[in-house]
Amino acid sequence: MSEPRASLMTAEPVERAQRVLVVGCGGIGGITAACLTETWSALGVEVVGYSTNAEIAEAIRRHGYRLTGTEGTRSVSGQCLTELTPDVAPFDFIVLAVQPPQVERAAREALSWLKPDGAMVCFQNGLCEDRVAKIAGTDRVLGAVVAWGASMPEPGLFERTAAGGFAIGRMDGAPDPRLERLAVLLECVGPVTLSDNFAGARWSKLAINAAISTLGTIGGDRLGALMVSLTVRRLVLAIMTETVRVAHAAGIRLEKVSGTLDLDWIALTDEEMRVVGSPSLVAKHTLLLAVGARYRRMRSSMLSAIERGRPPAVDFLNGEVVERGLALGVPTPVNEAAQAMVHTIARRERASGMSSVYTLAESLGLR
């Protein structure tokens, strides 16, 4: 079970954060709501889940949040609303755990239930803090880079597929006392790091997700199975390289992911893009193989969204890179081609699988 550390049980920040709303009870949101409920409900923090999916909410009402995966199997009793009504009290934190295509709508719907000094917390991959800030205001938006994986095999069943924690902060890098309070609360889900260069952390994660999530959607398999393919690794490096170049053009100082994965190093140099093989390329491919082995069970949430008939988040990942690259004069042909292929898969014009990966690579001269 998730248990609060002694220092957290008596921490003053918790006294000021009594109500948390988790919007979106898919894999990430469901596990977050369950861990927060399990850890903090007895200590005076009220945690409320919110899902527009009646089947998910009913499953949670009947059986609790059923957890499985890396943390073991258990059920956590909790509440999950399907509607925010006027009698619902406002919240100190509103965690937005929906997919990127739904984040702006979710922020608008929940905004009236945010306390004046509260904050919305963006869990999405991409650069969604900028979008939510236009709705709630810059000072009412915090971000959390999620460095762990989860899925929802069926309504109300939440599988943690990879361990990890969070990096939290503000896109403008400003200090904010609410970050300490948020960190205390989220520690029960995973280790929390406060970042004074959150924009750099967010862009580094964007580089990873634009490659991993998108190619996971195109390849239609878990990360471990995909990363053993040389073709997949070549595409991963190409997508990451373009994203890093756009970030540099935007003046972003990239952060290491989980303190170890250095996107500035992993991005291909001009020489590496010209040669067939080199010691540095071997090192980069070896690192990707290690990433694939460590997160072998991770499955693209974008692929799951397509399977459920929902729009893919590719426009918030590769599309963000393409759009910003265009504005900054940085070519992004690999991201653009990958974005287009995901849309063909979403329209059921092409099936996910290695044949689609090979088609993409061949069109770009990467196979």
Side-chain angles (χ1 to χ4, degrees):
M1 291 182 57
S2 298
E3 296 182 357
R5 298 182 303 189
S7 60
L8 298 187
M9 293 177 68
T10 57
E12 180 273 339
V14 174
E15 297 300 318
R16 299 174 52 204
Q18 296 296 316
R19 287 176 57 77
V20 180
L21 179 68
V22 180
V23 180
C25 291
I28 296 292
I31 287 177
T32 299
C35 291
L36 290 175
T37 299
E38 184 179 45
T39 303
W40 296 115
S41 60
L43 299 172
V45 177
E46 185 175 6
V47 181
V48 179
Y50 172 51
S51 175
T52 58
N53 186 312
E55 193 175 2
I56 293 174
E58 178 63 13
I60 293 170
R61 186 188 70 79
R62 291 173 62 89
H63 307 293
Y65 294 91
R66 291 173 293 144
L67 307 184
T68 186
T70 60
E71 291 189 340
T73 300
R74 62 191 188 280
S75 179
V76 179
S77 296
Q79 55 181 318
C80 183
L81 305 177
T82 55
E83 183 181 4
L84 292 174
T85 55
D87 61 311
V88 175
F91 296 89
D92 299 271
F93 291 110
I94 295 180
V95 175
L96 300 174
V98 297
Q99 289 294 312
Q102 288 83 47
V103 68
E104 288 159 292
R105 178 180 176 181
R108 290 190 186 95
E109 289 180 349
L111 182 60
S112 297
W113 282 267
L114 181 66
K115 289 183 179 180
D117 61 347
M120 291 192 164
V121 185
C122 294
F123 270 24
Q124 292 72 27
N125 295 316
L127 305 173
C128 290
E129 288 83 4
D130 294 342
R131 298 171 185 263
V132 175
K134 294 177 182 178
I135 298 167
T138 301
D139 287 337
R140 302 179 83 191
V141 178
L142 304 177
V145 173
V146 179
W148 50 277
S151 64
M152 184 177 65
E154 62 182 63
L157 176 63
F158 308 100
E159 179 187 10
R160 187 151 183 173
T161 56
F166 304 90
I168 65 174
R170 289 175 50 134
M171 287 296 276
D172 59 8
D176 193 314
R178 294 170 299 186
L179 289 169
E180 285 285 353
R181 296 159 53 199
L182 180 63
V184 168
L185 290 168
L186 291 178
E187 279 280 354
C188 64
V189 185
V192 181
T193 301
L194 275 66
S195 175
D196 59 4
N197 179 29
F198 183 76
R202 181 59 87 195
W203 269 90
S204 292
K205 186 70 185 305
L206 173 61
I208 292 172
N209 285 110
I212 300 301
S213 185
T214 297
L215 291 173
T217 302
I218 295 171
D221 208 337
R222 293 183 183 260
L223 185 59
L226 292 171
M227 206 64 91
V228 297
S229 165
L230 175 62
T231 301
V232 169
R233 297 197 303 276
R234 284 175 174 167
L235 287 166
V236 166
L237 289 172
I239 289 172
M240 287 182 173
T241 298
E242 290 182 355
T243 306
V244 168
R245 290 180 176 180
V246 173
H248 287 168
I252 300 296
R253 176 173 56 86
L254 295 172
E255 289 284 316
K256 291 182 180 179
V257 177
S258 300
T260 57
L261 190 57
D262 187 344
L263 272 299
D264 287 317
W265 174 80
I266 204 169
L268 298 175
T269 65
D270 290 339
E271 181 181 354
E272 287 170 338
M273 295 182 72
R274 288 193 300 267
V275 300
V276 175
S278 70
S280 60
L281 271 176
V282 171
K284 293 176 182 183
H285 279 270
T286 300
L287 175 61
L288 293 181
L289 283 168
V291 169
R294 179 177 180 181
Y295 298 104
R296 58 190 176 276
R297 298 176 62 198
M298 190 174 288
R299 190 174 188 269
S300 172
S301 60
M302 186 156 53
L303 177 60
S304 298
I306 290 175
E307 290 170 346
R308 292 189 174 100
R310 295 196 170 193
V314 68
D315 294 342
F316 294 77
L317 301 177
N318 309 81
E320 195 82 68
V321 175
V322 171
E323 182 178 337
R324 300 199 182 210
L326 183 62
L328 294 166
V330 180
T332 56
V334 184
N335 277 277
E336 186 173 2
Q339 178 188 13
M341 180 163 284
V342 169
H343 281 301
T344 65
I345 292 171
R347 294 193 300 265
R348 304 295 194 268
E349 296 172 6
R350 174 183 289 277
S352 295
M354 285 305 297
S355 62
S356 292
V357 171
Y358 295 144
T359 297
L360 175 64
E362 288 168 358
S363 71
L364 295 162
L366 294 174
R367 187 175 185 228

